[in-house]
């Protein structure tokens, strides 16, 4: 076995190990999402969020009636499937000028 073959084998094993690590990490996240508690959208939900640690519920599934702000989105691929767009919140972090790199 030549040193070039050993180098290729080692890099292939390292890359495979990295891919497997990333796969397992994402699989744990998916498992947490699938095990998320299901909550109803009702008047008790704000009190539940306020009582949670850090006023945040990490992974929950909300069930209830959602009303669209403007119009309902309909699927082009599945007849009768409708959806709405979630209101997005953009939070900008404070930028600090780095004089060494001359960038924000």
């Amino acid at each position: 076995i030549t040193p070039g073959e050993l180098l290729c084998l080692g890099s292939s094993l390292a890359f495979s190990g990295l891919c497997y690590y990333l796969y397992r990490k994402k699989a744990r996240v998916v498992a947490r999402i699938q095990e998320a508690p299901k909550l109803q959208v009702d008047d008790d939900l704000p009190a539940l969020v306020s009582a949670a640690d850090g006023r945040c519920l990490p992974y929950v599934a909300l069930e209830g009636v959602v009303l669209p702000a403007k119009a309902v989105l309909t699927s082009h691929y599945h007849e009768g499937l409708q959806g709405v767009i979630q209101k997005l919140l953009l939070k900008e972090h404070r930028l600090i000028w780095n004089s060494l790199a001359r960038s924000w």
Side-chain angles (χ1 to χ4, degrees):
I1 298 177
T2 65
E5 290 174 340
L6 286 176
L7 180 66
C8 289
L9 178 64
S11 63
S12 175
L13 287 174
F15 183 69
S16 296
L18 176 67
C19 289
Y20 182 71
Y21 168 76
L22 293 174
Y23 166 75
R24 293 298 304 156
K25 187 176 176 182
K26 298 300 179 185
R28 284 192 296 269
V29 171
V30 168
R32 284 185 62 195
I33 291 172
Q34 288 177 343
E35 295 170 356
K38 294 180 177 148
L39 303 175
Q40 295 293 325
V41 177
D42 55 7
D43 295 333
D44 298 333
L45 187 60
L48 183 64
V49 172
S50 297
D53 186 33
R55 300 191 64 191
C56 177
L57 299 173
Y59 288 112
V60 296
L62 294 176
E63 296 177 340
V65 177
V66 177
L67 300 174
K70 294 183 180 177
V72 177
L73 301 173
T74 57
S75 173
H76 297 288
Y77 304 107
H78 299 285
E79 191 173 320
L81 191 64
Q82 296 179 337
V84 295
I85 295 179
Q86 174 183 340
K87 182 179 179 182
L88 298 176
L89 174 66
L90 177 64
K91 181 179 180 182
E92 294 186 26
H93 298 282
R94 184 177 148 203
L95 297 175
I96 300 173
W97 175 254
N98 184 347
S99 61
L100 182 63
R102 296 187 179 267
S103 66
W104 288 99

